[in-house]
Amino acid sequence: MQEQVAKKARKEHYPAPYALIDLFEKHGDDWQAMIRGEIDAFVPLMGSDTASNLRRVFFLSEGLKKQGAKGVKFARVHVIGAGVMGGDIAAWCALRGMAVTLQDLDMDRIKPALDRGKKLFRKRLKKKFEVDAAVARLEADPEGKGVSRADVIIEAVVENLEIKRKIFAGLEGKLKRGAILATNTSSIELERIAEGLNDPARLIGLHFFNPVAQLPLVEIIRSSFNSDEEIGKGAAFALAIGKSPVVVKSAPGFLVNRVLMPYMLGAVQRVEAGENKELLDAAAVAFGMPMGPIELMDTVGLDVGVSVATELGHEVPDGSKFAKLVAAKKLGRKSGEGFYKWADGKAQKGPVPDHKNLAELGRELVKPLVDMSEVVVSEGVVANADLADIGVIMGTGFAPFLGGPLQARKDGKA
């Protein structure tokens, strides 16, 4: 039992499951003694920092559910771009009961997304008729006929400003009254994308995170043009598909990518300087991150990493290993190789070298993320530190037992 739990949680981070196993080991043959033993075991756990922070995270996440316009209904979604993000957003919306049309240049680009959607439905839904119904709700639409019927239109193409502008210019006259017009941009300010639109106030950001089926956050990006009504509708849609909305100001990188990029690039620079990538990833996990920064960069996609880094003003030198991997189309998990080789969706890692204090090294690696979290709050990208903490937890998996980056720094743990 301890070995199984250790695969999911470290004892120093989450002591409760280990305490339960200890209790079972002592009194598992006497249920009455086990009940009596729970009292002494439970009280110290209830008063622990982990429990306090997890209670805080719970109430912060519940608070997100109170956002969103009331009485707004969503039945049809149109997604433009059938790549990894666009396809997975479309599949998630279909899983959650929406009728979804998925548009790209041709069926060859759309079919892989439909196939991934089927895998998701089979994994998440118990009964064959439920899977079949979800498959029927996800429809290929290379000609974009679903735009005029959709309650929500989400653009999820490559991070290229001109391409995005061209798409939205062609959409504006086709929308039905009251439909949400949204971009899944990960770093470009909405004001720049909305240039040239007759009604720029209509464009909002709905920024999902990869993998879409696992990460609960959707950043609701608010530009200087948007009204409370449009933002409220965006938050309501996120809640309708089972996601947690955090409203952030339109600024380069928004919240999550703004704080992630210094963290990931800092680790990449250390690898460029000769440090062991397996060691760095193991250190971040020992600190409390769900995966290390190098594995995360591979998961996000090295091309996306370069694009966001450039948008945020971070330099990726031409002769660097990072730049060479991108040039060779070794983009990480989606291409089968990046900093790591990938097989069956898993990074193929070598042994981790010995280190005297992995958690302290992890804390050092995470410092740029925590520093930038303070900056985005000071700049008003999010309304307050609580929203920064819950947004970073949900968007990056940052150690929930620490309560978020700013709470961890407040407690002297980051």
Side-chain angles (χ1 to χ4, degrees):
M1 291 169 72
Q2 287 176 341
E3 287 175 2
Q4 290 298 314
V5 170
K7 294 176 183 177
K8 296 284 187 180
R10 301 170 77 96
K11 187 174 184 178
E12 63 269 30
H13 298 163
Y14 297 97
Y18 295 91
L20 180 59
I21 293 168
D22 290 344
L23 186 64
F24 182 80
E25 189 173 15
K26 292 176 185 174
H27 302 300
D29 58 347
D30 184 345
W31 66 269
Q32 290 181 320
M34 194 163 176
I35 288 174
R36 290 192 297 271
E38 283 182 353
I39 298 171
D40 291 336
F42 180 79
V43 173
L45 291 170
M46 184 178 68
S48 68
D49 289 343
T50 292
S52 176
N53 283 326
L54 291 178
R55 287 194 295 272
R56 176 172 178 268
V57 169
F58 170 77
F59 285 113
L60 289 177
S61 63
E62 287 296 296
L64 299 180
K65 297 177 183 179
K66 298 175 183 177
Q67 302 178 98
K70 306 299 182 188
V72 187
K73 302 294 183 183
F74 306 98
R76 293 182 176 277
V77 179
H78 183 79
V79 179
I80 302 171
V84 172
M85 281 302 296
D88 289 359
I89 291 168
W92 179 261
C93 292
L95 178 74
R96 299 293 300 189
M98 305 283 173
V100 183
T101 44
L102 178 59
Q103 181 179 356
D104 212 310
L105 296 175
D106 52 48
M107 279 302 300
D108 288 343
R109 289 174 170 83
I110 298 173
K111 189 177 183 305
L114 301 181
D115 292 340
R116 289 198 312 276
K118 288 180 185 178
K119 288 182 181 179
L120 174 67
F121 304 150
R122 288 169 183 154
K123 183 177 180 181
R124 293 294 186 102
L125 300 172
K126 305 289 186 188
K127 299 174 182 176
K128 184 179 183 300
F129 79 87
E130 293 176 329
V131 173
D132 292 343
V135 169
R137 287 194 296 269
L138 180 57
E139 180 184 349
D141 184 16
E143 296 178 2
K145 294 179 180 177
V147 171
S148 60
R149 295 179 295 157
D151 303 304
V152 184
I153 298 94
I154 304 171
E155 168 272 314
V157 301
V158 295
E159 282 290 275
N160 181 294
L161 178 59
E162 293 309 316
I163 292 175
K164 291 179 185 294
R165 282 177 177 170
K166 185 176 180 180
I167 287 171
F168 285 115
L171 288 176
E172 200 170 18
K174 301 176 182 178
L175 308 179
K176 76 176 189 180
R177 184 179 179 86
I180 292 174
L181 183 62
T183 174
N184 182 56
T185 180
S186 56
S187 60
I188 306 172
E189 301 104 310
L190 264 65
E191 289 86 351
R192 294 166 65 197
I193 299 174
E195 281 182 20
L197 292 181
N198 294 323
D199 184 8
R202 195 165 189 179
L203 179 66
I204 67 170
L206 292 176
H207 182 213
F208 292 75
F209 293 86
N210 187 21
V212 174
Q214 295 178 29
L215 290 175
L217 179 67
V218 174
E219 288 179 324
I220 312 298
I221 315 300
R222 179 172 192 152
S223 78
S224 56
F225 301 126
N226 295 138
S227 67
D228 290 344
E229 179 184 4
E230 293 298 332
I231 296 303
K233 284 161 62 178
F237 172 68
L239 292 167
I241 58 170
K243 296 295 185 181
S244 297
V246 170
V247 177
V248 303
K249 185 173 75 173
S250 174
F254 315 126
L255 168 63
V256 172
N257 281 336
R258 179 88 175 274
V259 305
L260 265 184
M261 200 48 61
Y263 162 62
M264 292 195 293
L265 288 178
V268 167
Q269 287 168 3
R270 295 175 78 133
V271 172
E272 300 274 5
E275 294 190 47
N276 181 275
K277 61 183 182 295
E278 284 88 356
L279 175 63
L280 297 180
D281 278 352
V285 172
F287 171 82
M289 301 299 280
M291 69 173 64
I294 305 302
E295 183 178 355
L296 180 60
M297 184 66 87
D298 266 8
T299 301
V300 169
L302 272 60
D303 54 337
V304 175
V306 168
S307 175
V308 175
T310 303
E311 188 68 30
L312 296 179
H314 299 288
E315 184 181 1
V316 179
D318 288 340
S320 65
K321 182 177 181 180
F322 191 8
K324 289 177 181 177
L325 287 170
V326 173
K329 304 296 184 186
K330 295 178 179 179
L331 305 179
R333 179 179 176 177
K334 61 187 173 185
S335 68
E337 184 177 353
F339 285 99
Y340 291 106
K341 284 188 169 67
W342 289 75
D344 299 323
K346 294 183 179 180
Q348 305 303 294
K349 296 185 178 182
V352 177
D354 290 333
H355 191 276
K356 61 182 179 181
N357 192 334
L358 271 181
E360 186 58 35
L361 175 58
R363 175 174 169 160
E364 182 183 322
L365 289 170
V366 169
K367 183 178 183 298
L369 184 156
V370 182
D371 290 343
M372 190 55 70
S373 297
E374 291 185 335
V375 171
V376 296
V377 174
S378 70
E379 292 180 354
V381 175
V382 284
N384 53 52
D386 283 351
L387 283 175
D389 274 343
I390 193 62
V392 174
I393 287 171
M394 289 186 162
T396 74
F398 184 96
F401 69 91
L402 292 176
L406 299 181
Q407 183 65 36
R409 175 154 288 177
K410 183 179 176 182
D411 293 339
K413 294 181 180 179

